[in-house]
């Protein structure tokens, strides 16, 4: 399997670049944010719990999030050529859990693609999307907390994966297709795996 993490701050383009990775590499997409938003939409018990965190821009507790990921992986991702993890892990305990989850299934993580975008651009992208789509956590106050939470709880993973030699830094500003080309070139260099279109 080719398993990669798309890592980056809120609004950095994880969802946008995931869509391209799925198309061009035939990978399976797991976005923990989308899984949670789907539960909220369907009004499930989990959705009610998730909403109380997401609406404030806080992270869902690790034990619950890890359990959800484990279930989704077994139901949807087994037997696929690989997985793009979008928005997971977001804490060191989640990163450790992902390593165990993959090892238990006889596979591992090939690379962590880090989309690096200046803070003012992140803010503008999310404010704009909030206006266009009405995504509930794209309000100025919640965006500010999401960015704070990212710096405190998630950003330390950058150094964690750098130490493991897995981190692939990518400039996430600019034209979407050009950013994807940088990702494909970086992945090929790191893993030897070629993109279908290259
Ligand atoms: P999640 O859904 O993961 O959201 P996020 O990390 O805040 O990131 P976004 O989805 O807003 O941005 P993105 O990086 O996907 O960028 P996108 O491609 O959309 O998480 C939401 C919440 O769920 C969390 O706050 C938390 O509560 C909970 N949660 C999720 N996972 C969790 C976990 N593991 N543990 C605990 N809690 C968890 O792009 C953003 C915008 O910019 C779009 O409008 C896009 O069109 C535009 N754009 C993209 N690329 C470019 C470009 N190159 N140039 C200009 N615009 C661009
Ligand atoms: Mg997203």
């Amino acid at each position: 399997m080719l398993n990669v993490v798309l890592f980056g701050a809120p609004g950095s383009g994880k969802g946008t670049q995931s869509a391209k990775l799925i198309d061009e590499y035939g990978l399976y997409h797991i976005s923990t944010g989308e899984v949670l938003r789907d539960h909220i939409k369907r009004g499930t018990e989990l959705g009610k719990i998730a909403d109380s965190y997401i609406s404030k821009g806080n992270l869902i507790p690790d034990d619950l999030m890890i359990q959800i990921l484990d279930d989704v992986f077994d139901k949807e991702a087994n037997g696929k050529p690989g997985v793009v993890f979008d928005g997971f892990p977001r804490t060191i305990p989640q990163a450790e859990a992902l390593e165990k989850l993959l090892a238990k299934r006889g596979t591992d993580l090939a690379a962590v693609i880090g989309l690096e975008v200046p803070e003012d651009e992140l803010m503008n992208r999310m404010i704009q999307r909030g206006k266009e789509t009405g995504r509930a956590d794209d309000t100025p106050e919640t965006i500010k907390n999401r960015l704070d939470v990212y710096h405190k709880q998630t950003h330390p993973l950058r150094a964690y994966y750098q130490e493991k030699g897995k981190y692939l830094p990518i400039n996430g500003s600019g034209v979407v297709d050009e950013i994807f080309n940088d990702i494909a070139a970086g992945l090929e260099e790191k893993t030897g795996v070629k993109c279908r279109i290259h």
Side-chain angles (χ1 to χ4, degrees), residues 11 13-16 32 37 58 60 87 90 94 129 135 146 174:
K14 301 185 294 295
T16 305
T32 42
R37 281 189 289 277
N58 293 326
I60 271 73
R90 275 172 134 98
Q94 290 185 16
R129 184 179 54 191
R135 184 167 140 172
R146 285 160 67 196

Side-chain angles (χ1 to χ4, degrees), residues 6 8 12 17 20 22 30-31 36 38 43 47 87 101 104 111 123 128-129 134 149 176 187:
L6 258 181
S12 58
Q17 295 297 334
K20 298 193 69 70
I22 297 149
I30 298 181
S31 157
L36 297 170
D38 180 57
L101 177 150
K104 241 175 31 192
M123 195 69 158
Q128 187 59 29
R129 184 179 54 191
V149 166
V176 169
L187 269 183

